[in-house]
Amino acid sequence: MSNTERTYIMIKPDGVQRGLIGTIIQRFEQRGFILRGLKMMSVEKSHAEAHYADLSSKPFFGGLVEYICSAPVCAMCWEGKDVVKTGRKIIGATNPLASEPGTIRGDFCIDVGRNIIHGSDAVESAQKELALWFPDGVCEYEHAMKPWIYE
Ligand code: UDP
Ligand code: MG
């Protein structure tokens, strides 16, 4: 199978507090992606800053770090064909009001600063983010559904 990738998906504190973990997992799982890593985590300021290092010069950076550290997040690793780009499509646009209905952000949120979910934007950033959030690796196992999902 070509284009098998892994991506870092994170349900942000507002998604966790609003009880959307199950709904979000269901969307990725039902599509056929494989869950390789899953954990609840209270995020240290330095860890949130490292995750969003590329945005450190933005005016919203301080508020963003505070938001990510305000309550636990649900950190996940999902695997599948083209999962990085497809994951971003499932999530929707950064600004929820610009997200299509049917996407996670388009269905469940309104403000850009409370957009409930993160998804890696490229294969290289996914690798960096997975190394940061899952330093001990993820769960390697054979998925029984694979031949029923991939030709
Ligand atoms: N963000 C914000 N205000 C902005 C732009 C972004 O608060 O004007 C937050 C928002 O939570 C977003 C995160 O910063 O999800 C990371 O921004 P990025 O541009 O990487 O968007 P994403 O990749 O999450 O769609
Ligand atoms: Mg981003």
Side-chain angles (χ1 to χ4, degrees):
M1 184 184 42
S2 59
N3 295 324
T4 296
E5 298 172 352
R6 291 178 179 185
T7 192
Y8 178 62
I9 302 291
M10 173 171 74
I11 306 172
K12 295 175 176 178
D14 45 347
V16 171
Q17 294 294 333
R18 291 177 54 197
L20 294 170
I21 294 175
T23 301
I24 289 169
I25 287 179
Q26 188 172 44
R27 291 192 176 201
F28 282 86
E29 198 174 39
Q30 287 186 334
R31 185 68 189 265
F33 293 123
I34 295 173
L35 184 58
R36 290 241 174 244
L38 172 70
K39 62 181 173 187
M40 296 299 298
M41 212 173 131
S42 294
V43 186
E44 297 287 343
K45 188 168 180 246
S46 58
H47 193 92
E49 286 171 346
H51 174 74
Y52 282 122
D54 290 351
L55 299 175
S56 60
S57 64
K58 302 283 186 196
F60 57 82
F61 183 70
L64 174 60
V65 168
E66 210 171 294
Y67 160 45
I68 295 303
C69 298
S70 62
V73 300
C74 179
M76 294 179 279
C77 171
W78 285 92
E79 180 184 284
K81 192 174 187 173
D82 227 2
V83 70
V84 174
K85 196 171 78 201
T86 307
R88 296 276 294 187
K89 279 193 199 157
I90 291 171
I91 287 170
T94 302
N95 181 351
L97 289 181
S99 299
E100 294 298 324
T103 64
I104 291 169
R105 285 170 175 164
D107 285 348
F108 299 116
C109 49
I110 295 171
D111 264 358
V112 68
R114 295 290 182 272
N115 63 359
I116 74 167
I117 184 165
H118 165 83
S120 308
D121 62 8
V123 173
E124 303 75 58
S125 45
Q127 285 164 353
K128 262 170 55 182
E129 290 170 4
L130 288 169
L132 179 69
W133 292 89
F134 291 97
D136 300 327
V138 293
C139 188
E140 307 296 342
Y141 65 104
E142 274 307 309
H143 202 257
M145 293 263 273
K146 238 178 187 169
W148 301 106
I149 292 166
Y150 296 104
E151 194 178 337

